Amino acid sequence: MTQIVCDPDFYEPVDEDDCSAFSYFCQTHDRFYWHDDCGEGAHLIALHCERHGPENMWPQPLMMAFPEGFSPPLSDVQLAWVRSEQDAS
């Protein structure tokens, strides 16, 4: 399984968003993903917001350790968030 954390075509969330309904969507099988039951083979998973559709994820713990190591790279907003969290600690 590969999880998409950033894509230029996805919605870029902001702090002011009050979204509350999220799920994961398998782009390989074109259906919502729930524990490998969406189809055979590899999965390409994206965060799906009920309001905005495919959405870039806020940085995850692994991204905090290696923010430049992601492909595609984190967006400018995600990278700024990672760096501000690092500066705070």
Side-chain angles (χ1 to χ4, degrees):
M1 174 180 81
T2 300
Q3 193 166 16
I4 303 170
V5 295
C6 180
D7 185 294
D9 294 330
F10 289 0
Y11 177 76
E12 185 70 54
V14 294
D15 287 335
E16 292 77 30
D17 287 339
D18 61 351
C19 305
S20 60
F22 295 94
S23 55
Y24 289 104
F25 189 83
C26 180
Q27 294 191 333
T28 303
H29 299 106
D30 197 31
R31 64 181 87 160
F32 287 97
Y33 176 84
W34 183 255
H35 301 292
D36 292 332
D37 69 349
C38 73
E40 295 290 321
H43 302 280
L44 186 59
I45 308 300
L47 183 66
H48 185 89
C49 171
E50 187 176 276
R51 181 182 300 167
H52 300 109
E55 184 170 289
N56 288 331
M57 293 188 186
W58 284 105
Q60 306 296 307
L62 195 56
M63 292 179 205
M64 302 290 273
F66 308 103
E68 280 86 15
F70 284 82
S71 178
L74 299 180
S75 70
D76 291 340
V77 172
Q78 289 172 315
L79 192 53
W81 188 86
V82 168
R83 289 184 175 142
S84 72
E85 287 293 310
Q86 287 173 341
D87 290 344
S89 45

